[in-house]
Amino acid sequence: ILKEEKLRDAVVGEIESTDSELLDFVEERRNQYEQQIVGPYIPTDEEIEEYFNEHQDEYGGDRIEARHIFIRVPQDISDDEVQTYSNKIERIEDSLEAGADFAELALSNSDDVLVTSNEGNLGFFRHGQSRYDSASDTSFSDAVFALAVGEHDIVRSPQGFHLVEVTDRQAISYEDVRQEVESDLTEEVINERFDEWLEAARAEGTFPQTEEINARHILFRVEPDAPEETVQSVSSRVDR
């Protein structure tokens, strides 16, 4: 078992190249030690905008606003049982097309309790980033983004059936995603620096030198508009 003091000494000093166990320990807890080892990284405005321009496929395009009526379909049921839920969402769509109010239909039929009181509104989202998408399945976004503003359709997701209506579509601007871009860039750079450090540490057995200090102080408060004699009086007290 690694002793706490051994780890603390290693992070601010040097280790032997044979101490691979300690390197493994740090790597497994990289989120805890990244900043301490490779230091903070604060990207400039120019770096953030350049990163955005280089990753237009990830941040560009449109975002849409949509609302839906959701009918949850249980897992591991037969096709006949699934058809029952499909028939239900189709009847709701028939009611909508006959003139029923979408918000009232959502309130009385939707299984999505998070948005039923908000007229079924899902808000704005980018492709693949709705609550019904995942990294491995973006079928919900695929279907919804194919709709024009004002159009509706029944969409199947892994969770169930949705009657979705697109209410707005907007082009994504740099300012819309700037905070997200900055976060992604910072994480990427810190990860790259840590990986480079880890590779060098495994080859050389040397942690970068860092320093930590403890400090304490006594505060003599002086108002910004204090007269000169007051400032001089406080200054003389500090010098004592």
Side-chain angles (χ1 to χ4, degrees):
I1 298 175
L2 293 168
K3 294 182 180 179
E4 180 180 353
E5 57 268 26
K6 179 182 180 185
L7 177 61
R8 184 174 61 248
D9 291 344
V11 171
V12 298
E14 295 184 352
I15 59 170
E16 297 296 329
S17 58
T18 57
D19 203 350
S20 60
E21 184 181 20
L22 181 55
L23 284 169
D24 292 339
F25 180 89
V26 174
E27 183 178 14
E28 290 169 1
R29 294 157 179 79
R30 61 184 299 158
N31 290 337
Q32 181 178 349
Y33 295 109
E34 278 177 335
Q35 294 283 345
Q36 187 175 359
I37 292 173
V38 300
Y41 168 69
I42 302 176
T44 64
D45 290 339
E46 292 76 13
E47 289 172 331
I48 297 170
E49 188 165 3
E50 180 181 0
Y51 189 85
F52 169 77
N53 291 331
E54 291 174 351
H55 297 79
Q56 284 283 355
D57 291 344
E58 299 176 33
Y59 302 109
D62 295 340
R63 62 175 187 165
I64 66 169
E65 182 182 47
R67 56 184 182 174
H68 79 151
I69 298 166
F70 174 55
I71 302 301
R72 187 179 303 281
V73 176
Q75 300 294 317
D76 301 323
I77 62 175
S78 69
D79 291 342
D80 288 341
E81 290 172 308
V82 171
Q83 187 61 45
T84 300
Y85 294 96
S86 177
N87 293 340
K88 180 178 181 179
I89 198 73
E90 288 175 359
R91 289 195 297 270
I92 296 172
E93 183 181 36
D94 290 341
S95 297
L96 178 66
E97 293 178 346
D101 181 71
F102 194 104
E104 292 180 0
L105 287 172
L107 186 61
S108 59
N109 292 281
S110 183
D111 292 328
D112 188 345
V113 296
L114 294 178
V115 298
T116 49
S117 61
N118 192 30
E119 301 183 354
N121 193 357
L122 292 167
F124 279 97
F125 56 91
R126 302 210 310 271
H127 185 277
Q129 295 192 355
S130 78
R131 290 193 290 112
Y132 294 95
D133 291 309
S134 67
S136 60
D137 189 334
T138 60
S139 55
F140 181 82
S141 279
D142 293 343
V144 175
F145 271 75
L147 299 174
V149 174
E151 288 186 335
H152 68 264
D153 200 2
I154 294 175
V155 175
R156 180 73 159 99
S157 77
Q159 293 83 9
F161 290 103
H162 312 253
L163 177 57
V164 184
E165 180 182 68
V166 174
T167 56
D168 198 3
R169 182 184 294 262
Q170 298 177 354
I172 297 173
S173 69
Y174 169 66
E175 291 303 324
D176 290 332
V177 293
R178 185 191 184 285
Q179 187 173 0
E180 181 183 353
V181 175
E182 180 178 3
S183 176
D184 290 345
L185 172 58
T186 300
E187 181 180 1
E188 182 175 305
V189 170
I190 291 294
N191 283 336
E192 288 176 353
R193 289 182 177 180
F194 183 86
D195 289 341
E196 291 171 358
W197 167 83
L198 184 63
E199 182 178 355
R202 290 197 184 282
E204 303 172 9
T206 304
F207 280 72
Q209 297 295 315
T210 61
E211 291 185 358
E212 292 184 3
I213 63 171
N214 293 318
R216 57 183 180 176
H217 75 151
I218 299 173
L219 173 67
F220 295 85
R221 187 179 300 279
V222 179
E223 298 299 328
D225 56 351
E228 180 63 26
E229 55 268 26
T230 300
V231 175
Q232 291 296 331
S233 174
V234 173
S235 178
S236 64
R237 292 172 61 194
V238 173
D239 292 338
R240 291 175 186 170

